[in-house]
Amino acid sequence: MSIPAPPAASDEGAGWKRVGQRYSCPLLVRQYPSEVPFGFLGRVAPPSSRVDVVLEAERIPTGRALELVHGARAVADAELLDGRAGRTTPELEVERRSADELGRAVASRAQELWRVGLAWVGHGPSRARAESERQRLAERLAALGFRTRVPRYQVAECLAAPGHGPELARPSGYWQTLTTDGLAALYPFGDETVLEPGGALVGLSLADASPVFLDRWAHASHSWGMFGTTGAGKSFAAALTVLRSRWLRDDLELIVLDPLGEYGSFVRRLGGTVVRLRDHELGRLNPLDPVTTAGDRREKAARVVTMLRALWPSLADEEAASLDAAVRRLYDRRDVDPTFGALADELRRGEGGRLPTLLEVFRTGSLRELDGPTTLKLDRPVVAIDLAGVPDEQLPFHLAYLLDWTYHRVSSRPGPKLVVLDEAHLLARHAGTAEFLDRTVRHLRHFRAGLLLLSQNPDDFLGSPAGRSLLRNLSATALLRLPEVSDACRAFFGLSGTEAEWLAKARLPADAGYAESLWRVGPWHLPLAIVASTPEFELIGSALGEEPTSRTGEPTAPRSGGL
Ligand SMILES: Nc1ncnc2c1ncn2[C@@H]1O[C@H](COP(=O)(O)OP(=O)(O)OP(=O)(O)O)[C@@H](O)[C@H]1O
Ligand SMILES: [Mg+2]
């Protein structure tokens, strides 16, 4: 169980910033060259360098773009007329002609104009190393015709991660206007491995570092699975997926069911609410509240029996039958609100055997806070339920009613939603909860919702029909390091012997600085590096309870170029 650590100490000077042991020295572009050679980024930021490239681009609406182009032409016209400007007549004529051409291209939508922010960042374990990385970078850029500047006293504004929190004041001269072609030239990839345009970046191909994007919303099921041994990078990959998905759709709602209490800081950084089950600070969620099945009391009764059987897996058949009967009687009654107290009364009426004693846990025992009506109100679009501190044997029960609550929440709110379920094996253990999870995954898409299911071993799901059905309903599955790949796993995912052997040796983030993974998407088998850019790493690494500097060394290959 990890306890979230505070972000690593940071420090800042006129032209640099330090987070933990990592120094960053940014460099801005003052003026772009008129042309750049194809693939120039590979030369400016080769894999051997400690350089990130941060690119932000926003389309300028066509009407405004035409105004800008006409403005530029008018300036050239005026300068040509009065002849006093510092530029020669041929230069101004070229500018006027190109403004005309661009105006036509923008009007016909062949080109668009973009507001582009581009920052280069040199990194190093000491200030001197980071500064010399930046110096070499500036020299390489100058050789290509870029004119650069160091943003003195504006380093934090330059390095802040884009797209979160209030609009950032970027340093002066940060934003420039480029055409679509100009912007395209800044992308580091010329290859077509994109897979699903419009999707979120999931990783870089281990073969050639080309990026792979997947669009969960383009599939019948919006749910994905991630499996791998402890430390393989599942929770990190889930946070990265959340971040990138929210960059693409800022109306994306998020629910994290977090058995180990790892995501709290991350979710708070996204402006969300964290409900810690152990302290009941924000109110009570009554697992028996019939609201979750929108008035379908029969369905609710069935779900309640499932969650209670996950709490007491050793119930004998007769006890299970008594429980089932008492729960149904409770939901058939309209005169009492279903609470654990009311259920205990109902059990006492029947022949409950040891059941009334078991129910004591909700009256006087460790679950007594759950006895009573729901008082918890969660209005924010981003929510995590933190189960840290809950006894291990109670985790499946809590997850089962939280899944019921989640199902209701996603079905009753508009807009796209993503649900992260970490340590999902806890629900795979019991037939009832596994079936409920399978049903949930099948239905989520009707509510524009997808699940991100994380677990260590796919075998936990392959052992039951419900588990296999669930795996079949994931539109993408990422297999990270798996120490052993069972025959069942090989057969189910259609893995070759080489792939199975490779998974057992896939590199771990602690060694590589990124996670190696094999993605199964439709017919594709994609070996990918799950790589975070520096701002993403700083945001997630520290928030998931890790100091950013605990990333041992720099990634050795491949590099994302910071995109
Ligand atoms: N893609 C990555 N890039 C950089 N660091 C990573 C990456 N993935 C994981 N890490 C780091 O590796 C460590 C382990 O990752 P994580 O906690 O995500 O593993 P996990 O698979 O969820 O393990 P567990 O099963 O124990 O929960 C963390 O310190 C995390 O910050
Ligand atoms: Mg984890």
Side-chain angles (χ1 to χ4, degrees):
M1 196 164 303
S2 60
I3 298 167
S10 61
D11 194 6
E12 193 181 319
W16 54 271
K17 184 176 176 194
R18 177 181 67 81
V19 178
Q21 298 300 310
R22 184 180 166 91
Y23 286 78
S24 300
C25 290
L27 188 68
L28 293 181
V29 177
R30 218 158 19 103
Q31 199 181 339
Y32 288 81
S34 52
E35 276 181 15
V36 285
F38 178 73
F40 85 101
L41 258 173
R43 277 196 241 161
V44 177
S48 57
S49 70
R50 296 176 170 207
V51 167
D52 277 351
V53 188
V54 181
L55 178 65
E56 285 179 85
E58 195 185 312
R59 195 177 76 82
I60 299 175
T62 310
R64 174 74 194 125
L66 285 171
E67 274 170 34
L68 287 173
V69 176
H70 293 152
R73 189 190 198 282
V75 170
D77 277 348
E79 287 185 14
L80 266 175
L81 271 179
D82 78 9
R84 271 174 297 151
R87 292 186 290 174
T88 62
T89 305
E91 268 175 356
L92 288 167
E93 275 171 353
V94 168
E95 187 164 318
R96 193 164 66 164
R97 250 199 326 276
S98 58
D100 284 342
E101 278 166 23
L102 183 57
R104 276 194 294 277
V106 172
S108 65
R109 308 294 288 269
Q111 289 282 327
E112 294 184 293
L113 290 192
W114 298 80
R115 183 174 178 249
V116 175
L118 178 62
W120 308 79
V121 191
H123 296 288
S126 69
R127 191 178 144 194
R129 296 270 290 277
E131 278 173 348
S132 83
E133 194 70 68
R134 172 170 59 193
Q135 180 55 34
R136 284 199 298 275
L137 181 63
E139 285 160 10
R140 291 194 294 269
L141 283 166
L144 292 169
F146 283 86
R147 293 170 67 187
T148 57
R149 78 172 180 94
V150 173
R152 296 208 184 277
Y153 300 105
Q154 292 176 308
V155 173
E157 291 89 328
C158 197
L159 294 180
H164 283 286
E167 179 71 11
L168 288 161
R170 293 295 192 189
S172 59
Y174 177 86
W175 296 109
Q176 310 251 358
T177 305
L178 294 186
T179 60
T180 306
D181 283 351
L183 176 61
L186 295 174
Y187 275 70
F189 27 88
D191 183 291
E192 287 295 306
T193 326
V194 163
L195 224 62
E196 295 178 353
L201 177 65
V202 288
L204 304 184
S205 156
L206 280 163
D208 60 5
S210 56
V212 172
F213 296 80
L214 293 181
D215 182 1
R216 72 173 60 248
W217 312 109
H219 293 257
S221 161
H222 310 320
S223 297
W224 295 355
M226 293 179 175
F227 298 92
T229 190
T230 179
K234 303 177 296 295
S235 301
F236 188 97
L240 198 57
T241 305
V242 164
L243 212 55
R244 291 174 179 171
S245 306
R246 278 178 53 86
W247 269 325
L248 287 175
R249 303 184 78 141
D250 55 12
D251 60 339
L252 180 69
E253 297 210 349
L254 176 68
I255 300 172
V256 185
L257 302 183
D258 180 12
L260 300 186
E262 294 172 283
Y263 295 82
S265 314
F266 173 67
V267 161
R268 280 195 200 93
R269 285 195 194 182
L270 299 184
T273 305
V274 180
V275 179
R276 293 195 307 183
L277 278 196
R278 66 181 172 281
D279 58 20
H280 309 281
E281 202 179 55
L282 300 179
R284 177 192 307 110
L285 211 160
N286 173 18
L288 305 192
D289 195 334
V291 74
T292 61
T293 51
D296 184 343
R297 294 171 85 91
R298 289 260 132 182
E299 171 64 18
K300 181 70 195 190
R303 290 188 195 177
V304 168
V305 171
T306 300
M307 65 180 79
L308 288 174
R309 293 203 65 178
L311 183 60
W312 302 311
S314 68
L315 284 189
D317 288 350
E318 318 79 77
E319 289 169 326
S322 301
L323 178 68
D324 189 85
V327 170
R328 274 168 214 283
R329 282 200 305 278
L330 176 70
Y331 283 94
D332 283 342
R333 291 180 61 172
R334 302 279 166 166
D335 56 332
V336 289
D337 284 336
T339 58
F340 286 105
L343 179 60
D345 294 342
E346 217 41 75
L347 272 167
R348 265 188 234 105
R349 259 179 261 241
E351 292 185 347
R354 64 179 177 139
L355 282 172
T357 321
L358 288 177
L359 253 270
E360 271 307 301
V361 72
F362 295 104
R363 307 301 300 275
T364 51
S366 58
L367 296 172
R368 64 184 178 282
E369 299 286 349
L370 296 180
D371 185 13
T374 298
T375 52
L376 182 67
K377 290 219 170 5
L378 290 170
D379 300 323
R380 295 212 192 145
V382 174
V383 170
I385 315 277
D386 168 345
L387 288 93
V390 166
D392 284 355
E393 67 281 7
Q394 290 181 356
L395 280 171
F397 159 72
H398 283 285
L399 280 177
Y401 75 76
L402 288 170
L403 192 62
D404 173 40
W405 171 83
T406 301
Y407 188 96
H408 170 62
R409 184 173 167 97
V410 300
S411 63
S412 55
R413 293 172 73 101
K417 282 133 314 205
L418 196 55
V419 179
V420 176
L421 171 62
D422 210 332
E423 308 290 333
H425 63 94
L426 291 166
L427 288 177
R429 271 192 221 149
H430 307 277
T433 51
E435 275 158 27
F436 182 45
L437 182 58
D438 171 37
R439 239 178 335 129
T440 304
V441 169
R442 273 184 284 128
H443 291 183
L444 279 182
R445 68 192 179 92
H446 301 306
F447 316 125
R448 298 178 70 197
L451 183 75
L452 212 50
L453 175 136
L454 316 185
S455 206
Q456 289 192 0
N457 194 341
D459 289 344
D460 291 335
F461 295 83
L462 288 167
S464 73
R468 279 196 300 280
S469 157
L470 178 146
L471 293 182
R472 268 193 296 274
N473 280 298
L474 302 171
S475 57
T477 307
L479 302 172
L480 286 77
R481 157 96 72 109
L482 292 173
E484 270 179 67
V485 180
S486 68
D487 289 346
C489 178
R490 265 190 66 177
F492 186 87
F493 292 109
L495 303 176
S496 67
T498 317
E499 285 172 331
E501 276 170 34
W502 180 81
L503 278 174
K505 292 183 299 201
R507 298 181 74 193
L508 296 170
D511 304 326
Y514 58 86
E516 285 190 344
S517 57
L518 180 69
W519 287 67
R520 290 281 288 101
V521 187
W524 295 299
H525 293 210
L526 308 164
L528 300 183
I530 303 175
V531 190
S533 68
T534 300
E536 286 171 330
F537 183 78
E538 283 174 1
L539 201 124
I540 300 169
S542 59
L544 279 187
E546 293 288 333
E547 302 268 322
T549 48
S550 70
R551 172 152 73 166
T552 51
E554 292 294 303
T556 44
R559 296 276 296 157
S560 69
L563 267 174

